[in-house]
Amino acid sequence: GLLMVACAYAMSRIVAGRYAALCAGLSVAVSYTLVQHAHYIKPGTLSTGWMMLATWACVASLYTTHSKYRHRLYILSGVVTGLAATTRYNAAAVGLIVLLTGLILLYRHRTRRMLVAILLSWIAIPIVFLVGSPYVLIDFENFWQDFSHIVGQFTVTGKNVRDYYLVGSWTG
């Protein structure tokens, strides 16, 4: 929970100033659902912290003027996105922010060093995910069954990915 407060403060401080940062940090600190879920171990709380840290690293890499820190922050965003995904699969959605930030950074700073940092960050996401969740490779069948069930909970039909998206009318 404290990581979320710190990230909310830091992101708001970068983008909007000191007063907005205090308001954002306080809002996260006293948010009823965040406080409630932080009192017992839930993967959502930890993955939200990782997601906010990845978002902060992306925002900080866009706003920093030092290229050395920009590269390190962007690589950090990829590593932390992998940690978020290994904590909770649907937290990998923060990878979209990392991807778009990388494209913006590549557009702004067209150097070989920036390209290497972006590629390292993008490669770090699946590597950290697989290190944190090795049974994805060891027991892929059970992983895919669990993953399709999780995704099925977010669809209108409630069906698994394999039943609804990979077979049937699309594949004949």
Side-chain angles (χ1 to χ4, degrees), residues 35-115:
V35 171
Q36 179 186 16
H37 289 296
H39 279 82
Y40 43 89
I41 298 175
K42 301 255 318 163
T45 304
L46 184 58
S47 65
T48 304
W50 292 130
M51 292 171 69
M52 288 185 72
L53 186 59
T55 306
W56 167 79
C58 286
V59 170
S61 69
L62 287 171
Y63 279 87
T64 189
T65 57
H66 303 298
S67 65
K68 181 170 67 171
Y69 298 130
R70 181 181 308 118
H71 299 125
R72 290 178 182 172
L73 285 166
Y74 190 69
I75 292 170
L76 173 68
S77 71
V79 170
V80 175
T81 299
L83 288 171
T86 200
T87 306
R88 190 174 172 119
Y89 298 143
N90 57 359
V94 78
L96 294 173
I97 296 172
V98 176
L99 173 74
L100 293 175
T101 302
L103 294 175
I104 292 169
L105 287 172
L106 189 60
Y107 178 75
R108 286 184 182 174
H109 312 282
R110 298 175 189 181
T111 63
R112 178 177 163 83
R113 191 166 177 214
M114 190 73 240
L115 179 63

Side-chain angles (χ1 to χ4, degrees), residues 150-169:
I150 291 167
V151 172
Q153 300 303 309
F154 293 105
T155 62
V156 175
T157 63
K159 293 184 178 181
N160 292 332
V161 173
R162 138 179 81 199
D163 298 336
Y164 190 69
Y165 293 108
L166 301 180
V167 226
S169 61

